[in-house]
Amino acid sequence: MSTTKKQLIDRISNSLRLDLTKTEIETVLAELLEQTKKSLIKGEEVRFLGYFSLKTVLTKPRMAMNLQTGKKMKVPAKRVPKCKFSLGLKEEIAKKK
C-alpha cells in the first residue's frame, strides 16, 4: 500500500489546528519537495533529524556483463540518491507488525 501526495495533504490538513487551506498545504509540500530536489542536485545532504537523511553518492565505473549475450560492457560512474533512516524510526517501524 502506498500513500499519495493528496492523501498526505488531507492528513496534514486534518491533524493541524491552523487555518491553512489544503491548497496552501499543497504549496508548502510542493516547495519542500522542490527545495529537497535542488539540494540533492547540488550534491548537498538533506537531513530530517529523527526521521531520515538524503544524499547522493558517486558510484565507481565498473565492468558488467549482458547476461543474454555474454558481452562485457563498461558502466560509467554516476551519481545516485541514497536514503538513510534514523535508528529511532527503524525501531518504530520494526515494532509495528
Side-chain angles (χ1 to χ4, degrees), residues 4-16 22 25-26 29:
T4 65
K5 184 177 169 185
K6 183 180 180 330
Q7 289 170 326
L8 280 176
I9 292 167
D10 289 340
R11 289 178 188 177
I12 292 169
S13 176
N14 292 335
S15 68
L16 285 179
K22 287 185 180 181
I25 293 170
E26 182 178 6
L29 185 58

Side-chain angles (χ1 to χ4, degrees), residues 1-96:
M1 184 171 183
S2 63
T3 302
T4 65
K5 184 177 169 185
K6 183 180 180 330
Q7 289 170 326
L8 280 176
I9 292 167
D10 289 340
R11 289 178 188 177
I12 292 169
S13 176
N14 292 335
S15 68
L16 285 179
R17 303 282 185 240
L18 303 173
D19 291 329
L20 290 176
T21 65
K22 287 185 180 181
T23 305
E24 292 169 327
I25 293 170
E26 182 178 6
T27 303
V28 171
L29 185 58
E31 188 60 25
L32 171 70
L33 294 173
E34 183 63 28
Q35 292 303 319
T36 300
K37 180 176 83 171
K38 286 180 180 180
S39 293
L40 290 172
I41 289 170
K42 286 182 189 176
E44 300 172 344
E45 183 174 358
V46 179
R47 293 183 184 180
F48 294 95
L49 293 178
Y51 297 97
F52 56 88
S53 63
L54 303 168
K55 65 180 182 176
T56 57
V57 294
L58 189 62
T59 61
K60 296 178 182 178
R62 61 186 174 89
M63 291 299 291
M65 184 170 47
N66 182 329
L67 297 176
Q68 290 181 343
T69 64
K71 249 185 167 176
K72 290 191 180 209
M73 56 187 180
K74 276 187 168 180
V75 178
K78 64 181 175 180
R79 188 165 296 282
V80 294
K82 294 283 182 177
C83 181
K84 183 177 180 184
F85 291 94
S86 71
L87 184 59
L89 182 58
K90 285 181 187 179
E91 289 171 352
E92 282 188 50
I93 292 170
K95 286 180 189 176
K96 187 74 177 170

